[in-house]
């Protein structure tokens, strides 16, 4: 297994409805938080339309670059659900009606209700491993390091939790947030110095606006709690020395 910092993942969000703004994506934050808890860094996210060329190109790029790739969307029963075909094409595999997936659907639907459209949800690339869907039965699937899941958040979350125990990561990325009542421009120079002193710690500065006043949220991330605490202490001191009022963000 790669070093902790090398266990990285990408998310490929598929769907015209996401790009048009009609549907607001709710999966990114869930996947990001859960992967971090498993010691896997979500390093890249792409959103692509329901277009075969775009999906295949994005998938082949991401699966070569990262330890894990997760896709959401495009595995339902309608004509524009083309993710299964695209995954098969990306891997150069035949697209088949998966007998195990068909059996699950046959057990789920009443006699006569499993029509041709619903049978589309039984299609996978040949040799794919199914991902359990305890919410609505129709499974996702995995091919090598690519995990294909539904776009509906409740179903996606259930699918993700089905595979979470099999994912191998490193140390979780810990986080500390220092909230201060100074604008970014006041803390920028000192923050750069602290970053230089703690190169392993990720330090981000994010402007805020509360009760009519500008402030800054200073977010520190690291896998080592002792080093993270030391860097946070320096950030607290910087803000106080500049006349600000540093506080820990309880969230």
């Amino acid at each position: 297994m790669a070093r902790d910092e090398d266990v990285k993942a990408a998310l490929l969000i598929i769907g015209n409805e996401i790009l048009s703004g009609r549907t607001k994506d709710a999966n990114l934050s869930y996947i990001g938080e859960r992967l971090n808890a498993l010691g896997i860094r979500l390093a890249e996210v792409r959103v692509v339309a329901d277009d075969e060329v775009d999906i295949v190109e994005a998938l082949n790029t991401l699966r070569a670059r990262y330890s894990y790739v997760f896709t959401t969307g495009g595995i339902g029963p309608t004509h524009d659900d083309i993710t299964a075909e695209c995954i098969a094409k990306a891997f150069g595999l035949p697209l088949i009606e998966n007998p195990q997936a068909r059996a699950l659907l046959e057990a789920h639907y009443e006699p006569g209700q499993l029509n041709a459209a619903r049978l589309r949800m039984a299609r996978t690339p040949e040799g794919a491993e199914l991902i359990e869907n305890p919410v609505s039965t129709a499974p996702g699937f995995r091919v090598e390091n690519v995990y294909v899941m539904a776009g509906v958040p409740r179903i996606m979350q259930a699918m993700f939790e089905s595979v979470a125990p099999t994912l191998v990561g490193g140390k979780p990325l810990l986080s500390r947030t220092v909230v201060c009542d100074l604008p970014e421009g006041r803390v920028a120079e000192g923050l750069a110095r602290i970053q230089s002193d703690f190169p392993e710690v990720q330090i981000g500065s994010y402007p805020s606006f509360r009760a009519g006043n500008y402030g800054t949220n200073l977010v520190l991330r690291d896998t080592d709690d002792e080093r993270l605490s030391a860097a946070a202490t320096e950030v607290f001191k910087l803000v106080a020395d500049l006349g600000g009022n540093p506080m820990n963000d309880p969230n």
Side-chain angles (χ1 to χ4, degrees):
M1 174 53 66
R3 300 189 311 274
D4 291 349
E5 63 268 28
D6 290 333
V7 185
K8 296 179 180 179
L11 172 62
L12 182 60
I13 302 170
I14 299 168
N16 293 337
E17 69 279 8
I18 301 294
L19 288 167
S20 70
R22 185 177 185 276
T23 298
K24 305 296 187 291
D25 177 73
N27 294 325
L28 170 56
S29 60
Y30 183 90
I31 291 175
E33 289 179 6
R34 288 293 290 117
L35 286 176
N36 182 63
L38 295 167
I40 301 169
R41 313 286 177 260
L42 183 58
E44 185 172 349
V45 179
R46 297 193 187 189
V47 184
V48 296
D50 297 308
D51 178 90
E52 182 181 282
V53 173
D54 292 344
I55 295 170
V56 171
E57 180 182 11
L59 183 69
N60 280 334
T61 298
L62 296 173
R63 71 187 181 93
R65 184 177 297 168
Y66 299 107
S67 300
Y68 299 104
V69 177
F70 300 88
T71 78
T72 61
I75 58 172
T78 59
H79 71 281
D80 57 342
D81 289 311
I82 61 171
T83 298
E85 294 101 308
C86 295
I87 302 296
K89 185 167 185 176
F91 281 94
L93 296 170
L95 183 69
I96 65 167
E97 183 182 278
N98 188 296
Q100 185 182 358
R102 179 177 180 128
L104 289 170
L105 295 174
E106 287 176 339
H108 176 72
Y109 287 104
E110 296 291 333
Q113 296 301 307
L114 185 56
N115 56 28
R118 286 170 171 160
L119 271 175
R120 286 173 58 85
M121 297 187 291
R123 299 173 307 151
T124 71
E126 188 173 48
E129 177 182 317
L130 297 186
I131 296 175
E132 182 184 3
N133 171 9
V135 175
S136 59
T137 301
F141 59 87
R142 177 182 72 85
V143 180
E144 295 183 10
N145 65 332
V146 177
Y147 295 74
V148 180
M149 304 182 295
V152 177
R154 191 163 74 98
I155 300 175
M156 185 286 300
Q157 291 172 19
M159 287 182 174
F160 183 89
E161 296 307 327
S162 295
V163 301
T166 70
L167 304 177
V168 179
K171 296 179 180 179
L173 191 64
L174 307 174
S175 177
R176 303 280 178 85
T177 299
V178 179
V179 178
C180 75
D181 52 356
L182 299 176
E184 278 190 301
R186 288 285 303 281
V187 300
E189 184 177 349
L191 202 64
R193 184 178 64 253
I194 295 172
Q195 180 68 89
S196 179
D197 291 340
F198 295 89
E200 303 91 345
V201 181
Q202 299 175 19
I203 303 178
S205 173
Y206 308 97
S208 63
F209 189 73
R210 294 186 180 93
N213 297 308
Y214 288 100
T216 309
N217 293 332
L218 304 170
V219 181
L220 299 87
R221 299 184 178 92
D222 195 359
T223 58
D224 185 281
D225 187 59
E226 184 176 344
R227 189 167 55 212
L228 183 63
S229 295
T233 297
E234 291 301 311
V235 171
F236 257 77
K237 184 177 184 300
L238 168 67
V239 174
D241 287 349
L242 292 171
N245 180 32
M247 297 179 292
N248 278 314
D249 186 346
N251 298 318

